[in-house]
Amino acid sequence: EKNATNISVSFPLARIKNIIKLDKEIKVVARPALMAITQAAQQFIESLTSIAFSEMLKGKRKSLRLSHLEAAVKRKREFLDFLDESMDI
């Protein structure tokens, strides 16, 4: 889907909006904010999986595993620090 500024997103906007609204303090999500959050989430997932994929190739594996994601988090610590609490690494 594209908005007026031609930002392309492939995540389902309705699902992202529902996730945002899980925060009880948020009542309304403006479309520009929704598009920005969706784009940021998409770029984050692409970056994380790209790094994990390179870890997978480095280990000569054919399938992506949790250990590859953990290695990606360790490798790119500066922008993935918040995941420390989510993963046992």
Side-chain angles (χ1 to χ4, degrees), residues 31-77:
R31 185 155 177 88
L34 177 61
M35 292 298 290
I37 291 167
T38 303
Q39 182 70 19
Q42 187 170 301
Q43 288 177 351
F44 170 76
I45 297 292
E46 287 171 359
S47 179
L48 179 62
T49 55
S50 175
I51 297 164
F53 183 74
S54 68
E55 291 293 327
M56 180 194 78
L57 293 177
K58 192 166 49 171
K60 298 181 181 167
R61 297 285 185 171
K62 293 184 179 182
S63 60
L64 192 63
R65 298 178 181 203
L66 178 59
S67 61
H68 300 128
L69 291 168
E70 291 171 343
V73 170
K74 286 181 183 177
R75 195 165 123 197
K76 290 294 184 178
R77 183 70 66 194

Side-chain angles (χ1 to χ4, degrees), residues 2-30:
K2 291 188 177 192
N3 71 353
T5 58
N6 292 326
I7 296 175
S8 178
V9 294
S10 58
F11 285 0
L13 294 176
R15 174 101 22 129
I16 300 294
K17 187 174 185 176
N18 286 338
I19 292 169
I20 293 168
K21 290 178 102 180
L22 289 174
D23 185 333
K24 302 292 184 211
E25 294 180 18
I26 298 175
K27 302 293 182 213
V28 178
V29 181

